[in-house]
Amino acid sequence: QVQLVESGGGLVQAGGSLRLSCAGSGGTFSSYAMGWFRQAPGKEREFVAAINWSGGTTYYADSKKGRFTISRDNSKNTMYLQMNSLTPEDTAVYYCAAGARFHISTVVVGSKYPYWGQGTQVTVSS
């Protein structure tokens, strides 16, 4: 059983940056593909980015390419999401997830991940 805890959210002005962290415990962190999702008020949860077990392969939602960077440090059991050039449309609760099979058809689907964090709020002011 893997436990995931996100941190790093907060309030930032438009154009600013944030780095989210997702710390894992209780399982073999380095064996899992992982992903970031977000959910804005009144909207469905959406895929942001995913990374394979080693960090060598990543996949992004088209709208996030170039602004967001996913990475991981297996020695620290931690995954990251660097977010740059933030806009108010990026305001959401951001969740990390683990355990999906790393394939384009699966990493974008939230139900394919058995493990989830509690989420961290990101608010971007205009």
Side-chain angles (χ1 to χ4, degrees):
Q1 188 77 8
V2 175
Q3 290 81 45
L4 302 173
V5 179
E6 302 96 335
S7 62
L11 175 64
V12 63
Q13 290 188 330
S17 299
L18 280 176
R19 188 176 81 155
L20 306 183
S21 298
C22 174
S25 63
T28 311
F29 181 89
S30 61
S31 69
Y32 294 113
M34 300 187 68
W36 287 99
F37 290 75
R38 71 184 189 184
Q39 187 165 20
K43 295 186 178 181
E44 293 190 353
R45 181 177 62 192
E46 67 169 340
F47 169 76
V48 175
I51 190 166
N52 77 331
W53 67 274
S54 69
T57 304
T58 58
Y59 183 67
Y60 296 90
D62 286 344
S63 60
K64 312 304 182 291
K65 290 179 181 177
R67 293 195 303 125
F68 291 8
T69 303
I70 189 172
S71 62
R72 66 191 296 166
D73 184 343
N74 287 339
S75 70
K76 297 181 179 179
N77 284 0
T78 304
M79 176 180 68
Y80 305 98
L81 185 68
Q82 177 68 41
M83 305 186 293
N84 299 327
S85 302
L86 288 163
T87 73
E89 288 67 39
D90 294 313
T91 294
V93 177
Y94 284 71
Y95 299 91
C96 67
R101 184 172 69 91
F102 193 84
H103 186 274
I104 290 177
S105 66
T106 55
V107 292
V108 299
V109 180
S111 61
K112 299 297 185 181
Y113 294 81
Y115 307 114
W116 289 83
Q118 83 289 348
T120 185
Q121 176 71 48
V122 172
T123 303
V124 185
S125 63
S126 58

